[in-house]
């Protein structure tokens, strides 16, 4: 029987974001099953299922939702500020810089495409997604360090 290598990117994502202490056993089981029935779609689905189970088991979903809520509140706050700001007075550069730093996607779009009209709702959704991604990254790092502390 010829060995079929599972998708490398999915395996790497599982190693990095899986957060299980026994991830080698999980990878072995997935690889075994992949040899019997090589379906990349199945392997990707199992990868995301393992990550989702890890997040649910550790309560990380709630913390990621808090990060996304913070992104929502930041966007709404800046939206309220910019709509209520006096249009005759220029916005101070420090306020403008702070707004761009706390909304990275809006900042990138503004810097790269200054004449592109972007509405509030796309920027709100982009900011929520960005903060949720940051929360996911922070939770992944936190889980890895937690597993290292437990194993010592």
């Amino acid at each position: 029987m010829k060995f079929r290598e599972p998708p490398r990117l999915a395996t790497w994502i599982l190693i990095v974001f899986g957060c299980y202490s026994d991830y080698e056993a999980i990878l072995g089981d997935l690889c075994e099953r992949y040899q019997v029935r090589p379906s990349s779609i199945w392997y990707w689905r199992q990868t995301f299922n393992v990550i989702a189970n890890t997040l649910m088991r550790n309560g990380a979903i709630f913390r990621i939702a808090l990060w996304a809520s913070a992104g929502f509140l930041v966007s709404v706050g800046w939206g309220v500020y910019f709509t209520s700001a006096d249009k005759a007075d220029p916005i101070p550069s420090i306020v403008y810089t702070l707004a761009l730093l706390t909304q990275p996607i809006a900042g990138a779009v503004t810097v790269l495409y200054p004449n592109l009209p972007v509405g509030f709702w796309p920027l709100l959704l982009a900011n929520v997604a960005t903060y949720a991604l940051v929360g996911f990254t922070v939770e992944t790092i936190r889980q890895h360090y937690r597993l290292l502390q437990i194993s010592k």
Side-chain angles (χ1 to χ4, degrees):
M1 184 172 171
K2 183 180 174 187
F3 178 77
R4 294 179 182 93
E5 188 173 341
R8 288 182 184 172
L9 182 61
T11 303
W12 179 80
I13 289 173
L14 187 59
I15 290 170
V16 172
F17 296 110
C19 302
Y20 277 105
S21 58
D22 57 346
Y23 74 93
E24 291 172 349
I26 292 171
L27 282 174
D29 291 345
L30 288 176
C31 187
E32 255 181 52
R33 178 78 188 267
Y34 186 79
Q35 298 308 311
V36 174
R37 192 171 185 177
S39 170
S40 294
I41 294 171
W42 174 84
Y43 193 85
W44 276 100
R45 189 175 62 226
Q46 293 304 315
T47 298
F48 290 120
N49 283 341
V50 168
I51 293 169
N53 286 338
T54 301
L55 294 174
M56 292 294 285
R57 184 174 46 121
N58 297 327
I61 292 290
F62 176 71
R63 289 185 291 276
I64 292 171
L66 286 176
W67 278 89
S69 300
F72 175 81
L73 292 174
V74 166
S75 284
V76 168
W78 284 119
V80 168
Y81 173 78
F82 285 120
T83 56
S84 64
D86 187 14
K87 305 300 184 234
D89 292 335
I91 297 171
S93 62
I94 188 75
V95 172
Y96 190 69
T97 304
L98 188 59
L100 292 179
L101 289 175
T102 57
Q103 300 184 98
I105 301 299
V109 168
T110 303
V111 170
L112 296 175
Y113 305 103
N115 296 329
L116 181 69
V118 181
F120 174 72
W121 292 108
L123 290 179
L124 177 78
L125 292 176
N127 208 43
V128 167
T130 303
Y131 275 66
L133 183 62
V134 168
F136 178 71
T137 305
V138 167
E139 284 301 312
T140 301
I141 292 169
R142 192 179 77 74
Q143 294 297 329
H144 280 289
Y145 279 116
R146 183 171 159 232
L147 287 175
L148 287 175
Q149 289 175 352
I150 291 172
S151 66
K152 285 185 180 180

